[in-house]
Amino acid sequence: MRSTPHKALATTALAVAALAAASVTATPAAAAPVPAPRAAACTPAQVVANGGFESDTSPWTQSQASVITSRAGQSAHGGSSFAWLNGVGSTHTDTLSQSVTIPSGCSSATLTFWLHIDTAETTTSTKYDKLTAKIGSTTLATYSNLDKNTGYVQKSFDVSAFAGQTVSVGFTGTEDSSLQTSFVVDDVALDTSGGTTPPGDSTRTPSAPSYTVNLSSNTAGTVWSGHESATFTNASATALSEVYLRLWDNYHGTCSAMPITVTNVTGGTAGALSVGCTALKIDLPAPLTQGQSATIGFDLGITVPSGADRFGYDGAFSMLGNALPVLAVRDAAGWHLDPYTNNGESFYSLASDFKVTLDHPSTLLVPATGASVDTPGTSGRTITTATATKVRDFAWAAGPFSKISGTSAAGTPVNIYSVSGISSSDAQSMLSTATSAVDAHSARFGAYPYGELDAVIDNNYWFGGMEYPGFVLDLVSTTALTHEIAHQWWYGIVGDDEYNNPWLDEAFTDYATDLAQNKTGSGCWNSVSWASSAEKITNSMGYWDAHSSRYSTVVYGYGKCALHDLRRVLGDTAMAKVLKDYATSHWYGVSTTAEFKAAAQAATTTDLTSFWTQHRIDG
């Protein structure tokens, strides 16, 4: 998580502070090169055919013709047809299966289906009737009459271990001699992603998204409902037949109790949720060719969970980071449908425009991304309209905050919103830090473009701090707030794929924080110890989620130290020019490791090949 989660504050501080006395010339030992195995190609895909049972029965195999049906007595999750196993009330077995091929090289494969169970059984302890879900010979789950429910519940299983195999996805339902149990299955999907893909169109699309949102809150600001629409253009020469919405905050719930709900989709047909219910596929009515635009719309419900989190409420104060569905990106690697990570970020989106109208009780202040205007609503309510251009996301908060405001020397308005328990002196200190930091970063990387800057201060945040465009969450910490504000440039303005390249924003932001605080990073590599030959500054969040104790040490600590070393190789003036020119050339765009390495190499006659190898910067 950004800035420095508590663990990162501690780990990075120890790692870097303890290194401060070491020799400037020391560099990390070069690891012996380990040839990487060549990965098989993986084109992200949904490999179950006719998962909604709307196209007759093919290619499903059913034990009797009536399993796939639209007959009265049960209803579909979507469309008109469904699979109805059992429900006979006598000894009976029904089966349903389909053979699927999961592409080789796919690092992620998720099987999902929606299940409704009703029963005439009255027992609360005996499993008389059962449904077994299997892939190949592996049983994924068994449900029974004890799992009866009033509606559909989505089930989700990681089946990545079957990549490269052709296997059967199947359901077997059994009933005993009396009292029926109906197992009703619909919208079966098996989504694959990750790995490498064949070369494709590298154009990032859908481009130039424009979001219009109208939401109204309950009295506490913890429940919001309304409507969102997204207009976008296909920038790619490859036709766009679908889009994906990322419902990131569904990570904080379960698929049966989602905090983010999307219903009544217009402009396309909603498919099954995938990736832990954080990705929603929407098939477009007709493929968009290059340059064509389209609009989708949907009703949106948001329920904020308890907890001092980037999405959560702390007492009377609600934080709504990543709460608005945003469009996923398709590029040469296909659709980016990476899982949510609580250890850092998974976010990857293109610069977008937002107009967000928030109807809320007048007792709540609502700081938000963009420039906000408040107008009176109905009795006792206020309408906050926030407008933001060229931002990658939109976040807001709601609560009876204490607010103080100021303006930086260069003219940026800054607002500090404090929860209960933050002293006025601490709030004033954070205002001073914010006005100083925004100007320091602007001078180095380019003028801050987002108008005002809002900071919500709460010492209960477990994660330290988190940035959104023009809006940050933070503890009372000079270093952390300076870091969060640096993220306005490194990921906010100069974007990147945060799941696959976290160093491009975290290391650059920690380096910018050092510069703003006049720290030189001298001796960064004293006592450094790499955990393994596989550990690299440029590893993805997939790697760091499996090695979470090393994430902040390597990405934040070693990453910024590598940039300090690069500055020493290039010289202070040349390094400053590289970063400012790089920010300018990628303004509102997307950075890659290869592009940054090329920009650094262009600034010197010294061959940097060994530098990248020694510092474990691949790409």
Side-chain angles (χ1 to χ4, degrees):
M1 210 154 282
R2 299 241 96 81
S3 158
T4 28
H6 287 175
K7 60 187 176 186
L9 280 167
T11 307
T12 305
L14 289 173
V16 176
L19 306 175
S23 148
V24 173
T25 58
T27 56
V34 178
R38 182 174 178 80
C42 170
T43 300
Q46 198 289 101
V47 300
V48 168
N50 192 23
F53 310 110
E54 301 299 321
S55 303
D56 200 9
T57 62
S58 179
W60 293 99
T61 299
Q62 51 184 340
S63 56
Q64 56 183 345
S66 60
V67 172
I68 295 176
T69 184
S70 58
R71 69 185 189 271
Q74 297 292 340
S75 59
H77 173 257
S80 60
S81 297
F82 46 90
W84 185 350
L85 291 86
N86 306 121
V88 176
S90 60
T91 303
H92 185 79
T93 298
D94 277 328
T95 62
L96 178 71
S97 64
Q98 177 182 146
S99 177
V100 299
T101 300
I102 304 176
S104 298
C106 292
S107 60
S108 174
T110 304
L111 174 68
T112 58
F113 58 88
W114 292 83
L115 176 63
H116 167 60
I117 302 172
D118 71 39
T119 184
E121 301 283 4
T122 58
T123 179
T124 58
S125 59
T126 304
K127 299 178 180 180
Y128 290 117
D129 309 317
K130 299 177 182 178
L131 177 77
T132 301
K134 300 179 75 171
I135 184 166
S137 60
T138 301
T139 297
L140 299 173
T142 299
Y143 309 98
S144 76
N145 48 282
L146 299 182
D147 299 307
K148 64 182 179 181
N149 52 346
T150 55
Y152 278 92
V153 176
Q154 191 181 46
K155 308 298 181 181
S156 179
F157 304 92
D158 182 354
V159 294
S160 306
F162 296 88
Q165 300 181 38
T166 298
V167 291
S168 174
V169 172
F171 304 90
T172 300
T174 58
E175 279 183 292
D176 72 347
S177 59
S178 65
L179 299 178
Q180 74 86 25
T181 299
S182 294
F183 299 101
V184 189
V185 176
D186 203 357
D187 291 330
V188 184
L190 202 165
D191 289 283
T192 64
S193 64
T196 61
T197 61
D201 186 343
S202 62
T203 303
R204 299 177 180 99
T205 200
S207 68
S210 178
Y211 300 92
T212 301
V213 184
N214 291 275
L215 297 174
S216 181
S217 82
N218 66 349
T219 302
T222 56
V223 177
W224 299 76
S225 60
H227 191 267
E228 177 176 344
S229 66
T231 299
F232 52 88
T233 301
N234 180 20
S236 167
T238 303
L240 192 66
S241 58
E242 76 281 330
V243 294
Y244 285 86
L245 287 174
R246 296 315 306 260
L247 283 57
W248 286 116
D249 284 335
N250 278 345
Y251 168 85
H252 299 276
T254 64
C255 287
S256 58
M258 296 180 290
I260 310 297
T261 58
V262 167
T263 55
N264 299 325
V265 173
T266 59
T269 303
L273 286 160
S274 60
V275 199
C277 291
T278 67
L280 176 63
K281 183 182 181 183
I282 297 178
D283 290 307
L284 301 177
L288 289 185
T289 59
Q290 189 171 30
Q292 287 188 315
S293 299
T295 299
I296 58 171
F298 48 89
D299 291 338
L300 175 64
I302 301 170
T303 302
V304 183
S306 176
D309 209 333
R310 51 189 177 188
F311 178 62
Y313 66 84
D314 182 15
F317 304 92
S318 294
M319 319 303 164
L320 291 102
N322 308 111
L324 293 183
V326 294
L327 291 164
V329 177
R330 190 190 76 185
D331 58 21
W335 284 104
H336 286 259
L337 302 177
D338 299 301
Y340 184 101
T341 173
N342 209 32
N343 193 33
E345 282 74 54
S346 302
F347 315 129
Y348 176 24
S349 54
L350 303 182
S352 310
D353 295 342
F354 286 83
K355 182 178 181 181
V356 180
T357 302
L358 303 170
D359 182 334
H360 57 90
S362 301
T363 52
L364 306 179
L365 296 184
V366 180
T369 292
S372 294
V373 175
D374 288 345
T375 55
T378 56
S379 178
R381 296 181 70 86
T382 296
I383 297 174
T384 298
T385 302
T387 305
T389 59
K390 302 297 185 184
V391 296
R392 299 181 194 278
D393 204 345
F394 184 98
W396 74 100
F401 296 101
S402 297
K403 176 186 176 184
I404 60 173
S405 301
T407 304
S408 76
T412 298
V414 177
N415 303 303
I416 302 295
Y417 293 83
S418 301
V419 305
S420 303
I422 302 296
S423 69
S424 58
S425 61
D426 280 343
Q428 195 64 48
S429 172
M430 291 298 92
L431 179 61
S432 176
T433 294
T435 54
S436 173
V438 73
D439 283 355
H441 299 319
S442 289
R444 287 189 174 89
F445 310 123
Y448 177 74
Y450 296 137
E452 66 184 33
L453 173 65
D454 294 340
V456 177
I457 308 300
D458 185 343
N459 276 332
N460 290 331
Y461 294 142
W462 68 267
F463 50 89
M466 178 66 196
E467 84 292 342
Y468 297 96
F471 176 94
V472 300
L473 309 174
D474 219 310
L475 307 168
V476 176
S477 167
T478 296
T479 299
L481 186 55
T482 302
H483 175 108
E484 297 309 328
I485 293 172
H487 271 304
Q488 300 301 308
W489 285 263
W490 303 109
Y491 183 69
I493 297 167
V494 181
D496 65 271
D497 174 353
E498 292 187 300
Y499 187 86
N500 289 298
N501 298 286
W503 91 287
L504 285 172
D505 52 287
E506 293 301 356
F508 282 59
T509 291
D510 243 19
Y511 175 75
T513 302
D514 273 6
L515 297 182
Q517 296 186 326
N518 299 313
K519 296 177 181 178
T520 64
S522 61
C524 264
W525 296 107
N526 184 45
S527 302
V528 163
S529 175
W530 296 98
S532 72
S533 61
E535 185 172 85
K536 300 177 187 297
I537 288 172
T538 47
N539 282 349
S540 74
M541 288 308 306
Y543 177 89
W544 298 119
D545 280 347
H547 303 83
S548 59
S549 66
R550 297 288 294 168
Y551 169 59
S552 59
T553 298
V554 177
V555 175
Y556 290 71
Y558 297 2
K560 75 172 177 183
C561 290
L563 293 175
H564 279 299
D565 280 358
L566 182 60
R567 174 175 53 82
R568 282 184 271 273
V569 171
L570 302 182
D572 291 359
T573 301
M575 180 66 166
K577 186 176 188 304
V578 165
L579 286 178
K580 191 161 191 175
D581 288 350
Y582 191 76
T584 299
S585 64
H586 289 76
W587 205 259
Y588 301 138
V590 175
S591 171
T592 67
T593 297
E595 288 170 334
F596 177 72
K597 289 169 68 174
Q601 183 61 74
T604 181
T605 57
T606 301
D607 186 346
L608 296 177
T609 301
S610 62
F611 179 92
W612 308 124
T613 300
Q614 288 179 324
H615 291 79
R616 301 194 181 199
I617 295 174
D618 291 349

